[in-house]
Every structure is written in C-alpha cells, then in structure tokens.
Amino acid sequence: MSAGRPPNLLGATWVLVRKDLLLEWRTRARANALVFFSLATLLLFSFALGPDTTILRRAAGGTLWLAILLASVLALGESFRVEQENAALDGLRLAPADARALFLAKSLANALLLMLLGTVILPVLAALAGVTLVQGPGPMAVVLVLGALAIAGPGTLYAAIASQARARDVLLPLLLFPLLIPALVAAAKATSLVFEGDPMLQFRSWLGLLAGFDLVYWSLGFVLFPRVLED
Amino acid sequence: MTLLLAEAGRIQGGWNYVWTAYGLTWGALALYAWSLWLRRPRKEP
Amino acid sequence: MTHALFTVVGLVVVGGGLYLLVRGPASLRAGVAVLGLVLLISGAWYGLSVAPPDREMGNVQRIMYVHVPAQWMALMAVTLNFFCSVAYLFRPGWAKDALAEASAEVGLFFGAVGLVLGSIWGKPTWGVYWSWDPRLTSEAILLVAYAGYLALRRFIDDAERRAVWSAVVGIIIAVDIPIIWFSVRWWRSLHQMQSSPSTVDPDMVRALRWNAFAFLALWLVFLSSRYLIARARTQREVAPPPLAAEVAT
C-alpha cells in the first residue's frame, strides 16, 4: 500500500461514503426499486390486516418498521454484491484502520438509504392507516435516524459475512432478524407513540433503548469488522 | 377424601401434562443422543 | 462468599470433567452417559412420587424438575459459546472453534427442550400454551439466533473463515442477550405473569438437584461427543491432500 501517510479514519470514511453514495446516485434504479418494494409491502400489510382502519392505525408503528426492515434485507444484501461480483473486496482488504473506515462508510451509506426510505413511505403509511404525527415531525425524525442506524450497523456486518457464504439470501435475514428484535420493538413502539401521543411519557425510554442498541452494535461492529474482512 | 383434595393444590390433576413433559424430555434426549451416535467420527482406514 | 466458592468449584468440576471426557476413551463417555441415565430415571421417580405436589400448582409443579435443569444446561452452553468465541478471536485454535460449535448445538437442544417444557407447564398454570412471558419469549428469540449461528457454520466451507465469522456472530448474539431481555420485559411490562412454587419443600429441592445432576452428566457427554465430531471434521478439512500414487511430470 502507499507508504508514509498514516490512515486518517474520518478522511477514509468520508471518501468511501462519497463513493458509495455516488454509486447509488448513478444507479438510482436500486433506490427506486427499494422504495417501490417498501410501498408494496405497506400495501400487503394493509390488505392483510385491514380494511378496518382501527387495526391499521393501531398497527401503523409496527407496519412502518416492518416495511423498512424487509426492504433493508434487500438493500444490505446488495451493498456488498457489487464488490463481491467485481472481486473488489480483495482490493479492499486493507489494514484494520481502513477496514474500520469501510465499516463506518458502508453502514452510514446504508443508514442514509434507510432513512430516505422511511421518509418517503411515511406519508403513504399515514394516508393508508389514517394516522398523523401527533407528536410532530421532530420526534419522528429522531426515531427514523436511530432506527435506521440500528438496522444498518449490524446489518452491514452481517451482510459482509453473508455475502461470502452460501445461501446468502436466506442467511442474512436469518442472522439479522432475531438480533434486531429489541430495536424493532423500540422503534415500533416509539413510532406508535408519535402517532398516538405519549400520555405516560414512555417515548424517552424507547429512544434510550434504541440509542443504547445503536451504541453497542456500532462499537461492536467497529471492533469486529476487520476480523470479518481479513483473509 | 377432602385431605387428598387439599393436598393436590389448586390446580387439579395435571398428570397428563406431567407425563407429556417427561415423555417429551426423555424422547428428545434419546433422539439427540442417537443423532450424536450416528454422526460419531469414524477412524480413517 | 459461599456462592463464589460454589461457582469456582463448579467451574473446575465441569471444566475438568469436560477435559477428561474429551481426552478419555469412548468407554468413559459411555460410562458417564449410563450414570446420567440412572440419575435421570431415579430422579424422575423421586420427582414424580416422593416430592409432594405444590400448594398452588399441584402436580404440575413436577414439570419444573425437568424444565429448570434444561434451562440451566442451555444457559451454561451458551455462556461457554461466548467465552470460546471471544477466546478464539484473541488466539485462534481449532479446539476453541470445535467447542464453540458443540456448545451452540447443545445449547440449542436444551433450550428448545426447556422452551417446550415451559410452554407445557404454562397451559394448566396460565391457561395458554404461549403467553409472551418475558423469559420464554427472550429464549425463543435466542434459539432462533443460535439456529442462525449453526446455519452460518453449515454454509461456510472454508474452515478458518467459518471459525472467525462464527466467533464474531457468537459474540454479537451473546451481547444481545441482556438487550433482548430488557426490551421484551418493557414490551410486556403491561402484563406481568410470574409463577413460582409457593412452597419450597425440601423434597422438592432434592428432586430438582437430583435431576439437575442427571442433566449435567448428559450435558457433559453430549458436549464432549459433539466436540469430537466437530474436531474430526475440521481435521479432515485442513488435512493436507493425500499424495498421488503417481507423480505427474
């Protein structure tokens, strides 16, 4: 590798994030497909649970995050496929510091994608289920950010592993879903509180759980990712 | 007779559940032991 | 103080026992298996006849004598998997990897048994087979997680990669255990349903301990056998290829 210059974590991360986002922008088809997949999922849920809007309204928080979670499996699976198919991962198997930058970059890019996804499908869900942001857009944004981070962090780590194993399409959700249940519970509950109001002030607790989850798993992913990439 | 009833606790009977539980436990232990036996490493010739 | 001492002694006994069973001849494992069987049968006799019915739960209480030991065995196995995973990442070794695989499978087995027994116990006690009780719910999530761990191991062909990645996944799952526990408890905090025996008759304690030792003996045999299976497989995989009878020029 290039001699002399010590690895700058933030700098390397930024470069990689830009590369991934640029790639995403150039092939917008993937992001579009993800959006349409999520919308289709929302429709499926509405048909499966409805047409009684009381039930849909009650289930809106959970429905949102299930739609995002199911789409994330596709998004995460794809995020390493490009590298996988072009054997670019071999070129990317670098020093631990660069592997960590790769983890941060990929996770961040995936998280941003999921936040975008959530923002796009939120109004559609609001219309289908007849809910409004009783608590306002601020709290909703916080939940979206924390939830997206929760999925993207461990999801990126697992995607790196699964992309190089057999039966990767099944393996990723199989590994990810049980792990994410606490985050799903917290995000869904918090979202429901945004939709319905929070008389007993539980919103903070659920956000705390989500934030704690994010902290633990991004730290763990940061530490363990170089081991996943090493040969 | 009342003494027997008092002894048995508020949940009456329940032996069906107990036998199911124990039978299942023994069955599962036997099956797993058998699967370990089937998978035992063979010495290379 | 005595709790710490008991734990240390227990660890030494379990660790030593495991070591002996792995290194020793197959007859030793068979012997311990027979011991376990004897303890199991006599323990069942004790638990089903000598121990009295509970004041509240009646005879259904007897299910606890197999449910609780099964859960203990699962917990021990899962803890072992965590330590093996961490130890492997610090210093790789095939023994740690094989033990990790064995403990995951044995933990999954005892956990599944424990879960089903808990569900059976729940029907007469709570009226339903599944009440989303925090403990059983958390356990169900973890069983799926460890099934995923074993699936991962099955879908990676390269032995070294399998070892490293399983260790990573093992650590991630273990770290999630307290998180899952708390989140499920909060999720269910509207509806707490805990039931413990209202009486603690010494015969009940004896029945529980007896069965616990039976399960422990079987746990040791299962773990050591599964370890040897895993070890043999990696040895086959990393063995150098046999020399060709004729050397091609």
Side-chain angles (χ1 to χ4, degrees), chain B residues 7-11 13-15 17-22 24-26 28-29 32-33 36 39-41 44, chain C residues 40 44 48 53-59 62 65 105-106 109 113 116-117 120 123-124 215 222 226 229 232:
Chain B
E7 255 190 44
R10 274 209 282 134
I11 297 177
W15 278 108
Y17 292 102
V18 176
W19 285 121
T20 313
Y22 276 76
L24 226 126
T25 309
W26 294 334
L29 288 169
Y32 189 60
L36 287 174
R39 290 182 285 168
R40 72 193 183 284
E44 302 294 301
Chain C
L40 191 71
L48 291 173
D54 179 68
R55 227 205 325 265
E56 297 280 312
M57 282 190 267
N59 291 308
R62 305 177 192 277
Y65 304 137
E105 189 178 290
V106 170
F109 169 75
V113 169
V116 171
L117 291 178
I120 294 177
K123 182 70 170 127
F215 273 66
F222 286 168
R226 188 61 181 82
I229 294 173

Side-chain angles (χ1 to χ4, degrees), chain B residues 26-43:
Chain B
W26 294 334
L29 288 169
L31 279 174
Y32 189 60
W34 186 43
S35 91
L36 287 174
W37 173 253
L38 288 177
R39 290 182 285 168
R40 72 193 183 284
R42 318 290 166 89
K43 281 281 190 243

Side-chain angles (χ1 to χ4, degrees), chain A residues 17-96:
Chain A
V17 171
R18 272 178 51 204
K19 158 188 151 315
D20 260 0
L21 290 180
L22 206 63
L23 215 71
E24 274 308 318
W25 180 249
R26 289 213 183 115
T27 57
R28 285 191 291 288
R30 173 156 97 90
N32 287 340
L34 280 175
V35 168
F36 281 114
F37 176 80
S38 309
L39 292 176
T41 313
L42 281 185
L43 277 181
L44 284 180
F45 273 104
S46 304
F47 281 114
L49 299 175
D52 183 358
T53 36
T54 328
I55 298 178
L56 291 179
R57 204 173 331 124
R58 211 87 62 67
T63 308
L64 176 71
W65 284 101
L66 282 177
I68 296 178
L69 185 60
L70 292 175
S72 78
V73 171
L74 300 178
L76 292 166
E78 280 291 317
S79 76
F80 278 96
R81 192 159 301 163
V82 175
E83 273 90 350
Q84 173 78 355
E85 279 168 1
N86 300 330
L89 269 177
D90 293 326
L92 283 173
R93 275 198 186 94
L94 312 164

Side-chain angles (χ1 to χ4, degrees), chain A residues 2 6 60 79 107 207 215:
Chain A
S2 56
S79 76
S107 306
L207 279 193
L215 201 65

